[in-house]
Amino acid sequence: MAKKVKMKGVDRISDLPDPILIHILSFLSTIIAARTSILSTRWRNLFTLVSNLNFELDGCISRWENRLRLRKFNSSTIKSFRCFVDRVLSFHGRTNVDKFRLKFRLKRGKCVDSDSACRWISGALMRGVKHLDLNISLDKFTFPDALFTCSSLVTLKLDIVLVLHVPEDIHFPNLETLHLKSVKFFDDNSVKSLFSSCSNLQDVVIENCSMMNVKSFRISHPLLRSLTIIRPCYTSNCWLTIDAPCLSNFKYIIDHLVAGYSLKNLESIVSADIQFLIENVDLQADARHAATIFREIYRVRSLVLSLYSLELLLSCEPFPAFPTLVELETPYDKAEQLMSSTDKGLETLLSHCPELENLAFRQVLFFDVLISLPEEVPSCLSFKVKAIEISNFKEDEDCIRKAKYILENGRALEKLTIRTSICCRFNKLKISQVLFAYPRKSKQCFILIV
Ligand SMILES: *[C@@H]1O[C@H](CO)[C@@H](O)[C@H](O)[C@H]1NC(C)=O
Ligand SMILES: *[C@@H]1O[C@H](CO)[C@@H](O)[C@H](O)[C@H]1NC(C)=O
Ligand SMILES: *[C@@H]1O[C@H](CO)[C@@H](O)[C@H](O)[C@H]1NC(C)=O
């Protein structure tokens, strides 16, 4: 007892050995880590030995002091941030930097100057940085030349509005992860030299990037495993080429058309998320493009489709088959509108996916896209489908009829989840009464109504 009381005042953290303290500090924003230097002489230089540097102008201040917000930064705050980063880098000496993250998003006119940013990035590159993460807003900025020949880089994440002019003689031998957001590719050659210089590339994310100056956006890589392209901005005469024999995850969110696709060697894709979003509706043209993609990814096991993607899939002639598809999901998105309806949709879909086990749907599909029930029960529904989830379910004759159809035919069904729409919360009980009492083909089927 007496011992416990005594322990109360002990500073257990300071009992830890230096390497552990340094490790703990490496999880903090560098500004916070630096504050520990006032604790005692032992702590004074510990934070300079941390190999992760994380400088954040909005997060650290507004989160920890909860006073300043982005727009309130005045020139003296910015100046002290600048001095702070410079000081840390000079204290840091030649210690290797593992991760370097720089984040500041300021309104125009209130900027950290480009020279400082360039100097800090060069500092990180000189110290053999492996993971570089820059989320910054700058008026005029060009990368230090050393960036493009940095052999230590494993991860490069950029969220910067700038024109990415990639020189020809660049080399990223160890780069595995490349995430680009909001950059504008200078021209075709920039795209080409960027991807051809990364011999180890495995994970690529291209989000909100402009390809207005690019005629052929080509990603051809033997090792690439994961590719995400989100809302690219291209002209209608841009071609998108993907050739990636190892690609296993593919996410593509697009809201307007490119000239066309050339897709090759995509048989390894096991999981795909294809979201065509409606911009200028041209169902036929969109369907032609979607068909090119669906035919190439026919070996997927898991497929996520936006509502419009599903409509496009249903209008493909002939309908692409998915012989290995196990999971199909159309997530709920309030903003999506329906463009068309297909009478035999449900039948077509299920009969082309013989291995389907999990289905997650929205009620609107059952209502408006997949209107009628199949005349002949598709074999996957009889023998394979284990889980079905219907969201936004309404207490409505048609919906109930379809739920009953699932129950009376799903031999392998283990779980039917029904998520009621807001307007039907009160009728949950009624839905439950009807469905719970209805005979089920599958003995182990569990119905969940939420
Ligand atoms: C800048 O903002 C800080 C923090 O709100 C404040 O302490 C300081 O007085 C301001 N300086 C000027 C010049 O407005
Ligand atoms: C960059 O910072 C902004 C503002 O905090 C944030 O919304 C955005 O997601 C960040 N970008 C990345 C790629 O994390
Ligand atoms: C997308 O990129 C443009 C610049 O090309 C930028 O102005 C805009 O803020 C970015 N949007 C998002 C959501 O990041």
Side-chain angles (χ1 to χ4, degrees):
M1 193 65 197
K3 204 173 171 191
K4 259 190 196 159
V5 173
K6 218 171 136 198
M7 289 300 283
K8 233 181 164 181
V10 171
D11 173 6
R12 293 207 186 174
I13 293 213
S14 293
D15 285 346
L16 297 171
D18 283 0
I20 293 190
L21 291 179
I22 292 169
H23 187 65
I24 293 173
L25 291 179
S26 73
F27 291 99
L28 301 177
S29 149
T30 303
I31 284 192
I32 307 299
R35 288 189 189 156
T36 61
S37 65
I38 58 165
L39 291 175
S40 70
T41 38
R42 177 171 171 228
W43 283 87
R44 185 170 300 151
N45 290 319
L46 273 187
F47 84 97
T48 64
L49 301 173
V50 169
S51 61
N52 292 352
L53 295 179
N54 181 359
F55 299 106
E56 191 174 329
L57 185 53
D58 58 5
C60 60
I61 297 182
S62 59
R63 193 157 6 106
W64 292 88
E65 291 181 351
N66 209 10
R67 275 192 279 129
L68 297 166
R69 293 248 171 258
L70 196 62
R71 67 200 113 76
K72 292 210 184 123
F73 286 133
N74 57 30
S75 48
S76 72
T77 331
I78 293 169
K79 191 171 163 210
S80 60
F81 177 75
R82 206 167 48 213
C83 293
F84 175 73
V85 181
D86 277 331
R87 252 195 355 257
V88 171
L89 283 174
S90 74
F91 278 140
H92 215 263
R94 291 266 146 198
T95 312
N96 265 13
V97 170
D98 193 40
K99 289 187 189 158
F100 185 85
R101 180 166 177 271
L102 186 59
K103 176 170 169 180
F104 51 83
R105 300 232 144 232
L106 305 174
K107 293 248 152 125
R108 266 176 182 281
K110 279 194 179 160
C111 262
V112 172
D113 60 298
S114 304
D115 290 347
S116 299
C118 203
R119 184 170 68 245
W120 301 334
I121 296 165
S122 300
L125 294 170
M126 258 163 47
R127 293 171 177 83
V129 64
K130 292 199 185 95
H131 308 280
L132 186 62
D133 180 352
L134 306 174
N135 183 349
I136 55 185
S137 55
L138 282 166
D139 272 344
K140 278 208 171 81
F141 177 68
T142 41
F143 287 112
D145 288 341
L147 175 74
F148 294 110
T149 49
C150 183
S151 60
S152 60
L153 275 185
V154 176
T155 308
L156 179 60
K157 293 184 182 173
L158 304 177
D159 182 351
I160 312 179
V161 178
L162 56 54
V163 176
L164 191 63
H165 191 170
V166 184
E168 257 171 40
D169 49 351
I170 69 165
H171 195 37
F172 287 121
N174 293 308
L175 197 71
E176 290 174 7
T177 301
L178 177 65
H179 292 188
L180 300 177
K181 190 169 169 200
S182 302
V183 305
K184 178 173 187 173
F185 291 96
F186 181 72
D187 60 3
D188 284 47
N189 286 334
S190 283
V191 176
K192 195 170 152 205
S193 38
L194 182 62
F195 291 109
S196 61
S197 65
C198 308
S199 37
N200 256 312
L201 205 56
Q202 297 184 17
D203 169 18
V204 170
V205 176
I206 310 258
E207 183 176 355
N208 187 42
C209 288
S210 167
M211 299 165 191
M212 297 307 265
N213 293 342
V214 176
K215 291 202 185 60
S216 160
F217 192 83
R218 192 182 159 80
I219 297 184
S220 162
H221 205 285
L223 301 178
L224 194 65
R225 285 170 186 283
S226 172
L227 174 62
T228 299
I229 300 177
I230 298 176
R231 291 180 184 268
C233 175
Y234 19 48
T235 60
S236 54
N237 57 18
C238 176
W239 269 84
L240 180 65
T241 301
I242 304 173
D243 177 352
C246 285
L247 196 64
S248 69
N249 298 305
F250 179 44
K251 180 167 178 171
Y252 186 48
I253 303 182
I254 179 180
D255 52 16
H256 56 276
L257 286 180
V258 287
Y261 297 91
S262 59
L263 305 173
K264 261 202 287 190
N265 295 319
L266 300 182
E267 291 83 4
S268 300
I269 296 181
V270 288
S271 139
D273 180 345
I274 308 291
Q275 302 193 28
F276 278 83
L277 306 173
I278 301 167
E279 182 85 351
N280 316 308
V281 180
D282 180 347
L283 195 69
Q284 294 210 319
D286 286 357
R288 264 199 317 278
H289 284 214
T292 317
I293 297 176
F294 290 132
R295 295 224 163 79
E296 287 306 315
I297 60 165
Y298 71 103
R299 297 199 53 106
V300 283
R301 283 177 57 80
S302 157
L303 186 58
V304 175
L305 298 175
S306 61
L307 183 58
Y308 187 46
S309 299
L310 183 75
E311 292 182 61
L312 294 177
L313 175 64
L314 291 168
S315 28
C316 288
E317 279 287 342
F319 192 91
F322 294 101
T324 52
L325 189 68
V326 175
E327 282 178 10
L328 177 62
E329 186 188 347
T330 37
Y332 182 63
D333 177 355
K334 259 206 272 217
E336 278 189 294
Q337 294 166 6
L338 210 63
M339 302 313 302
S340 67
S341 57
T342 319
D343 195 27
K344 292 212 177 278
L346 192 59
E347 190 165 357
T348 311
L349 187 67
L350 295 180
S351 59
H352 286 82
C353 308
E355 296 297 320
L356 203 59
E357 289 180 10
N358 296 322
L359 264 169
F361 268 163
R362 300 161 44 184
Q363 160 273 339
V364 60
L365 286 173
F366 277 132
F367 252 137
D368 303 325
V369 186
L370 310 170
I371 304 169
S372 56
L373 289 169
E375 280 163 24
E376 198 177 314
V377 182
S379 81
C380 74
L381 184 60
S382 296
F383 301 109
K384 296 280 180 181
V385 175
K386 289 191 184 134
I388 296 190
E389 177 168 334
I390 308 169
S391 53
N392 211 27
F393 196 89
K394 294 204 176 76
E395 192 238 344
D396 167 283
E397 237 176 76
D398 191 54
C399 256
I400 302 256
R401 194 166 56 90
K402 282 168 182 160
K404 284 178 173 174
Y405 176 82
I406 291 168
L407 288 175
E408 74 193 21
N409 289 301
R411 259 177 232 267
L413 201 63
E414 290 169 11
K415 189 169 177 188
L416 174 64
T417 309
I418 288 186
R419 298 187 183 281
T420 46
S421 64
I422 309 279
C423 68
C424 282
R425 290 280 140 82
F426 296 114
N427 292 331
K428 232 161 83 174
L429 193 65
K430 252 165 106 186
I431 300 174
S432 321
Q433 279 169 347
V434 174
L435 293 184
F436 285 147
Y438 199 75
R440 307 167 201 178
K441 189 74 165 204
S442 157
K443 293 278 175 292
Q444 75 265 29
C445 177
F446 173 74
I447 304 177
L448 181 68
I449 300 179
V450 286

